[in-house]
Amino acid sequence: LLQTVWFFVSIYFGKRGRENQHLLKKSMLRLMKTADGEEFFELNKSEPGAALTSKNHTGGLDGSEDHSDGKIFALATSRRCPVEVLKLYLSHLNPNSEALFQRPKDLSSAKFNPATDDIWYERRQLGHNTLENMLRKMTEKAGIVPYLTNHSLRATTVTVLSANNIETRKI
């Protein structure tokens, strides 16, 4: 579940692991509805710390703040609807931590049973290095050679948006 949510956040918002993913908070994901009632998640930019800097949006006096407007829309016909997956993930996070990406509890522990326990994650957040190497470890485990990196997701996001005629400044 953690890896799926990480993938959705990375691909839909175009964020790589080294771009402050470890600083994302649960409250930064805001569930919204369109006028037609369609649900989607967006990054809550009014949240303190939400204006995270990145390679392309460094902040400061040069006026390069992040004007991106990424959204994660529901896919009602999908077994892995991103909105439903995000809702499920958020419902199982540790309430004593504000971090969006928290360390999963140990499945081999006799103290943890995901079938009966509501909280599936520890209070500790995932570290910078773990998030930075997430896709590489996922693809290595799946036997994909050569393995992919988080930058592969960023490149895919840019390619898809560009192919759909999104203005370069908005990408």
Side-chain angles (χ1 to χ4, degrees):
L1 184 59
L2 167 68
Q3 290 175 342
T4 302
V5 166
W6 173 86
F7 180 84
F8 286 152
V9 167
S10 297
I11 197 89
Y12 283 97
F13 296 136
K15 299 287 187 193
R16 294 175 292 196
R18 68 175 55 145
E19 290 186 337
N20 298 322
Q21 284 184 351
H22 68 287
L23 298 177
L24 290 174
K25 299 176 183 177
K26 296 181 282 192
S27 57
M28 290 179 178
L29 280 181
R30 181 169 48 188
L31 183 62
M32 306 289 288
K33 285 188 180 183
T34 65
D36 297 334
E38 186 179 8
E39 290 187 316
F40 65 92
F41 275 98
E42 69 179 7
L43 280 178
N44 180 0
K45 294 182 183 177
S46 64
E47 174 74 25
L52 300 173
T53 61
S54 71
K55 177 180 170 183
N56 297 327
H57 304 287
T58 56
L61 298 176
D62 63 357
S64 61
E65 65 260 5
D66 187 350
H67 292 289
S68 62
D69 194 23
K71 293 178 178 30
I72 301 176
F73 279 91
L75 298 171
T77 59
S78 173
R79 277 188 36 233
R80 289 195 176 104
C81 169
V83 169
E84 293 306 316
V85 168
L86 278 163
K87 285 182 188 177
L88 178 66
Y89 176 73
L90 291 169
S91 75
H92 290 293
L93 288 178
N94 191 310
N96 297 317
S97 173
E98 287 301 312
L100 177 61
F101 297 118
Q102 301 173 3
R103 189 165 304 283
K105 288 187 175 181
D106 184 2
L107 281 172
S108 63
S109 170
K111 296 179 182 179
F112 174 59
N113 182 349
T116 57
D117 293 344
D118 288 333
I119 299 172
W120 295 357
Y121 298 88
E122 296 178 7
R123 187 175 180 183
R124 296 183 308 153
Q125 70 183 41
L126 286 180
H128 175 278
N129 291 335
T130 300
L131 291 166
E132 184 174 334
N133 295 308
M134 185 76 78
L135 190 61
R136 188 191 91 224
K137 290 183 179 184
M138 289 166 60
T139 56
E140 283 177 347
K141 190 173 182 178
I144 297 171
V145 179
Y147 64 82
L148 301 173
T149 64
N150 292 4
H151 184 74
S152 303
L153 290 180
R154 173 71 169 242
T156 299
T157 300
V158 170
T159 300
V160 168
L161 292 173
S162 181
N164 284 284
N165 300 316
I166 302 299
E167 295 177 49
T168 303
R169 68 180 181 85
K170 289 188 176 183
I171 295 175

